[in-house]
């Protein structure tokens, strides 16, 4: 056997295990964070600090029957949750956890993540439509218009980073930020003094958009439970619902790790001390904590507010940012 | 001369065959499905297969663009339009005309014949062995030199699409 094939299979197994465990831990973390923000304790019965709570939930979900609603499109109804999960796992192919720990170092890595993650919307749409439920259809329509609106500023800010670094290879983007935190792309004082103005704004826009793309609060209009029951997964029971959830948390991880790779130096530490992969995970989980913090602090926006924010504020600012980036790269 | 199945080349060959099957199956679903949404899903499957073939032919950039634009944008917009226009999934396809069927068979036959004739007449160059290229520099250079004409023409297509949607959008709006 070719050792390359063994490496690939090993990596696939490890990534799937990581995605599942990551989702389980994030559900626990979300409930703990929510609890403490609301002056409760959160889960505490199962295991120390309730850390095994999500495993108990997972077992419960897996033992439940998968009910297909009457009048639903059975095939598409069953395919949709898988279509949420598959791209989420595929995106991990090119994320560099550390200098050595990356499945494939692809030259168009950034494009690969955007291309594969775009299938997610299609899956939500199919799931919502196949459920034969009006709330699910409305929610799917909302999710699509939201995703289309926020993909534009997200891609434009990604382009500012690509222009600045000159590559779409994620590993090279991280390597370009070596040598201390003053070289990180968010405040590149050490590299290009003009970009110090542009990059923090780019980071903010990118972070907001990645939250909106993953349907996280305050942008979770697709699952506004006060109006739409539970959104596109209203009709899903058991592991069908579970897969939507796993996919959402995997996407949150991917969004935060992209922010870390593009702006916060990836696996580069501000000072030695720890190996790269530790720094990478520390930064990513800190950003995920911020995402949760926002969810339990801010109320849900209205739908027109959400679309106005993207089309009238984020897109013009990001276009202006793009022009400034071009100018600063020439001038400094 | 065939490489063994467990080698990397052999596996790549199997993946290539699977991608061909996926493309064909997707196209068949897109044509034969009775529900419009399923037809669009088949189309998306077909696009994924085509993207896989591009990747196999050492052009990851084109493959990813195919995914991003055709699956992520075109198919989503199609499903969206169908969902808004046709809320009731059970709609029977209109009865087929015998004449139309015959004509389409003739057209398909002529197309196949033409493609086969082209394929037999062509001189095949070996597939480019340039794995993991397609850096920003390569893509930018080829877009602005070799393919600059195509690049400009695409922008004209986009311009026409934008103007068309503006015209249609204005026509639907009431004067009040």
């Amino acid at each position: 056997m070719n050792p390359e094939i063994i490496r690939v299979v090993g990596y696939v197994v490890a990534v799937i295990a990581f995605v599942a465990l990551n989702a389980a831990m994030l559900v626990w973390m979300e409930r703990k964070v929510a609890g403490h923000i609301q002056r409760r304790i959160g889960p505490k019965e199962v295991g120390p600090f309730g850390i095994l709570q999500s495993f108990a939930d997972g077992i419960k979900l897996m033992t439940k029957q998968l009910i297909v609603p009457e009048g639903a499109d059975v095939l598409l109804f069953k395919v949709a949750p898988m279509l949420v999960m598959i791209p989420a796992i595929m995106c991990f192919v090119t994320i560099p956890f550390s200098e050595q720990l990356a499945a494939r170092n692809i030259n168009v890595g950034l494009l690969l993540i955007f291309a594969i993650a775009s299938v997610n919307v299609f899956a939500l749409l199919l799931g919502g439509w196949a459920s034969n439920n009006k709330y699910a259809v409305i929610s799917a329509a909302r999710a699509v218009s939201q995703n289309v609106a926020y993909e534009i500023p997200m891609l434009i800010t990604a382009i500012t980073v690509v222009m600045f670094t000159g590559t779409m290879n994620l590993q090279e983007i991280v390597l370009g930020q070596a040598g201390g935190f003053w070289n990180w792309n968010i405040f590149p004082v050490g590299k290009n003094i003009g970009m110090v103005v542009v990059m923090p704004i780019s980071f903010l826009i990118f972070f907001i958009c990645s939250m909106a793309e993953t349907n996280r609060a305050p942008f979770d209009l697709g699952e506004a439970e006060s109006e739409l029951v539970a959104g596109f997964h209203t009709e899903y029971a058991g592991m069908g619902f579970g897969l939507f959830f796993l996919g959402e948390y995997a996407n949150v991880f991917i969004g935060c790790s992209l922010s870390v790779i593009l702006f916060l130096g990836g696996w580069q530490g501000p000072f030695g001390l720890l190996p790269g992969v530790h720094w990478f995970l520390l930064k990513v989980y800190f950003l995920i904590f911020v995402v949760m913090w926002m969810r339990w602090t801010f109320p849900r926006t209205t739908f027109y507010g959400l679309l106005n924010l993207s089309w009238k504020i984020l897109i013009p600012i990001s276009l202006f940012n793009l022009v400034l980036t071009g100018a600063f790269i020439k001038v400094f | 001369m065939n490489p063994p199945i467990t080698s990397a080349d052999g596996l790549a060959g199997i993946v290539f065959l699977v991608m061909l099957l996926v493309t064909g199956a997707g196209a068949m679903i897109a044509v034969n499905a009775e529900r419009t949404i399923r037809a669009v899903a088949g189309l998306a499957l077909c696009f994924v297969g085509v993207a896989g073939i591009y990747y196999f032919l050492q052009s990851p950039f084109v493959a990813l663009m195919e995914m991003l634009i055709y699956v992520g944008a075109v198919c989503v917009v199609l499903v969206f339009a169908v969902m808004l226009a046709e809320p009731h999934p059970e709609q029977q396809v209109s009865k087929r005309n015998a004449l139309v069927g015959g004509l389409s068979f003739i057209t398909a036959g002529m197309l196949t014949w033409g493609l086969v004739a082209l394929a037999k007449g062509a001189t095949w160059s070996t597939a480019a062995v340039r794995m993991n290229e397609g850096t920003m520099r390569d893509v930018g250079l080829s877009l602005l030199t070799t393919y600059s004409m195509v690049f400009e023409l695409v922008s004209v297509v986009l311009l026409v699409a934008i103007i068309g949607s503006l015209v249609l959008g204005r026509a639907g709006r009431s004067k009040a």
Side-chain angles (χ1 to χ4, degrees):
Chain A
M1 281 291 265
N2 194 327
E4 177 68 14
I5 295 172
I6 298 170
R7 198 181 75 97
V8 168
V9 172
Y11 213 95
V12 167
V13 172
V15 160
I16 293 176
F18 177 77
V19 168
L21 274 179
N22 171 59
M25 290 322 290
L26 285 186
V27 171
W28 172 77
M29 184 173 153
E30 174 111 57
R31 291 172 71 173
K32 271 290 186 198
V33 170
H36 284 283
I37 285 177
Q38 297 170 343
R39 308 197 71 184
R40 301 182 279 112
I41 351 177
K44 71 180 183 64
E45 291 293 336
V46 195
F49 306 106
I51 203 160
L52 298 177
Q53 180 70 49
S54 350
F55 296 98
D57 289 348
I59 292 169
K60 183 197 78 173
L61 282 178
M62 275 189 258
T63 52
K64 278 189 168 181
Q65 185 190 359
L66 231 181
I67 301 166
V68 179
E70 209 179 310
D73 191 321
V74 182
L75 182 70
L76 291 183
F77 186 80
K78 287 187 176 163
V79 163
M82 299 178 209
L83 268 185
V84 171
M85 215 41 218
I86 293 168
I89 290 173
M90 279 178 77
C91 283
F92 279 85
V93 161
T94 185
I95 290 180
F97 285 88
S98 80
E99 196 162 10
Q100 286 84 29
L101 202 59
R104 269 247 174 271
N105 189 13
I106 300 171
N107 271 331
V108 282
L110 190 58
L111 185 66
L112 181 123
I113 291 186
F114 282 122
I116 292 176
S118 68
V119 179
N120 191 28
V121 194
F122 192 59
L124 296 190
L125 201 51
L126 283 186
W129 182 82
S131 304
N132 193 24
N133 176 319
K134 62 182 172 219
Y135 296 117
V137 171
I138 295 172
S139 154
R142 281 187 176 186
V144 171
S145 38
Q146 175 180 344
N147 273 281
V148 169
Y150 279 85
E151 198 143 290
I152 302 167
M154 193 168 185
L155 285 172
I156 295 175
T157 47
I159 289 174
T160 60
V161 178
V162 170
M163 277 169 75
F164 184 50
T165 55
T167 174
M168 282 209 277
N169 184 325
L170 294 179
Q171 195 71 267
E172 279 175 23
I173 290 178
V174 175
L175 283 173
Q177 304 176 53
F181 60 86
W182 50 87
N183 281 338
W184 291 1
N185 278 342
I186 184 165
F187 284 117
V189 192
K191 287 199 289 186
N192 185 334
I193 202 79
M195 294 299 284
V196 175
V197 189
V198 175
M199 277 305 184
I201 305 173
S202 283
F203 172 70
L204 209 62
I205 295 177
F206 191 86
F207 193 57
I208 292 174
C209 292
S210 68
M211 254 194 296
E213 286 279 302
T214 48
N215 294 320
R216 291 288 302 187
F219 305 113
D220 57 345
L221 266 295
E223 18 192 287
E225 68 274 359
S226 51
E227 318 154 22
L228 293 176
V229 192
F232 45 83
H233 54 68
T234 302
E235 295 287 350
Y236 282 90
M239 217 42 207
F241 164 76
L243 279 183
F244 274 118
F245 235 70
L246 278 178
E248 182 182 325
Y249 280 105
N251 281 331
V252 169
F253 185 90
I254 291 165
C256 289
S257 56
L258 261 192
S259 302
V260 167
I261 290 164
L262 292 183
F263 295 99
L264 299 178
W267 40 263
Q268 312 269 8
F271 36 86
L273 219 63
L274 296 170
V277 62
H278 292 234
W279 278 117
F280 180 78
L281 289 178
L282 267 179
K283 290 178 200 171
V284 170
Y285 281 108
F286 174 73
L287 277 190
I288 293 176
F289 171 72
V290 174
V291 168
M292 290 175 179
W293 190 3
M294 306 263 268
R295 170 166 181 188
W296 297 102
T297 310
F298 291 113
R300 184 177 293 134
T301 55
T302 52
F303 194 61
Y304 58 86
L306 174 100
L307 291 183
N308 277 349
L309 175 68
S310 173
W311 291 104
K312 293 186 179 167
I313 299 173
L314 292 185
I315 292 180
I317 293 180
S318 56
L319 280 174
F320 185 63
N321 238 350
L322 189 67
V323 175
L324 273 187
T325 310
F328 283 144
I329 287 173
K330 267 280 174 242
V331 171
F332 292 99
Chain B
M1 229 5 238
N2 286 334
I5 282 194
T6 48
S7 73
D9 281 350
L11 280 182
I14 293 174
V15 171
F16 179 68
L17 287 182
V18 169
M19 282 305 166
L20 279 185
L21 270 181
V22 165
T23 313
M28 289 306 283
I29 296 172
V31 177
N32 289 324
E34 284 189 6
R35 295 179 176 181
T36 328
I37 298 267
R38 282 204 177 180
V40 181
L43 191 66
L45 196 65
C46 180
F47 287 143
V48 172
V50 172
I53 292 173
Y54 281 137
Y55 198 87
F56 184 82
L57 295 174
Q58 323 282 357
S59 27
F61 186 77
V62 185
L64 294 175
M65 276 319 208
E66 172 95 16
M67 287 289 285
L68 185 66
I69 294 172
Y70 284 94
V71 182
V74 171
C75 281
V76 167
V77 171
L78 279 178
V79 177
F80 201 51
V82 172
M83 219 165 72
L84 293 182
E86 188 189 306
H88 307 295
E90 312 308 336
Q91 275 201 347
Q92 282 306 312
V93 191
S94 58
K95 288 190 194 92
R96 291 192 178 85
N97 192 332
L99 182 68
V100 174
L103 276 179
S104 54
F105 258 109
I106 293 171
T107 319
M110 281 165 72
L111 255 179
T112 318
W113 178 71
L115 283 177
V116 168
L118 264 181
K120 287 188 83 170
T123 45
W124 295 96
S125 52
T126 47
V129 192
R130 289 186 308 164
M131 196 55 207
N132 220 2
E133 277 211 57
T135 54
M136 284 320 289
R137 197 182 147 73
D138 295 340
V139 173
L141 275 179
S142 51
L143 272 186
L144 291 179
T145 55
T146 323
Y147 303 109
S148 57
M149 183 67 190
V150 185
F151 187 61
E152 292 300 321
L153 282 179
V154 168
S155 69
V156 174
V157 173
L158 286 179
L159 183 69
V160 171
I162 290 173
I163 293 176
S165 60
L166 277 177
V167 170
L168 288 177
R170 279 190 74 84
R173 199 173 281 181
S174 64
K175 289 285 190 289

